[in-house]
Amino acid sequence: TRTVTVLNWGPCDEATEPDCRYRSGLQFFAARGLQQMVGGFYDYAPCEGCPKNATAAAEREFRFAHDISGIEGYSYTTWGSNNEDGQPHYEQMCDCARTLRRLHEEEEAAGKVYV
């Protein structure tokens, strides 16, 4: 038996970005019973003036994916080309992990579990 896990890169907000199909993509693969990883990047801001840090990115990604079944986890990705110094920044990885852990714990405490 093979297990397929889809790593969805993004995310973008379908409510504000007309060409975005991120959440639709998550729903598409969930409807087919596939496990998914949310592949975001934390040195990117989706809009002018939006926070460009791991905490803000993790909160956005969690919001886009929190009620979709089959989400197995999140990846931490940094693209050096998005940074002024052209180097990847890994120092925000712990902030990202803490934020996602907190959000999942809040959902579980509220009785919201998506399988």
Side-chain angles (χ1 to χ4, degrees):
T1 302
R2 292 184 183 204
T3 301
V4 174
T5 301
V6 176
L7 177 61
N8 287 297
W9 287 103
C12 54
D13 190 347
E14 291 183 32
T16 60
E17 299 174 59
D19 295 330
C20 175
R21 300 291 178 266
Y22 186 72
R23 186 167 167 81
S24 298
L26 293 172
Q27 292 168 328
F28 174 86
F29 291 114
R32 284 149 182 81
L34 295 171
Q35 297 173 330
Q36 300 179 78
M37 294 282 296
V38 174
F41 30 97
Y42 303 96
D43 44 18
Y44 163 79
C47 65
E48 191 69 35
C50 289
K52 187 176 176 180
N53 61 60
T55 299
E59 288 171 345
R60 280 191 304 270
E61 292 168 13
F62 187 84
R63 180 171 41 100
F64 297 149
H66 82 282
D67 61 346
I68 295 176
S69 63
I71 302 295
E72 294 293 318
Y74 296 78
S75 72
Y76 178 94
T77 307
T78 177
W79 301 106
S81 60
N82 288 336
N83 299 318
E84 290 178 18
D85 61 4
Q87 298 298 311
H89 294 174
Y90 294 101
E91 65 272 2
Q92 295 187 47
M93 190 167 19
C94 291
D95 291 339
C96 174
R98 278 191 288 272
T99 300
L100 289 168
R101 187 174 296 122
R102 174 183 53 81
L103 293 168
H104 278 283
E105 288 171 355
E106 289 171 2
E107 290 268 297
E108 287 179 355
K112 299 176 183 177
V113 179
Y114 308 97
V115 181

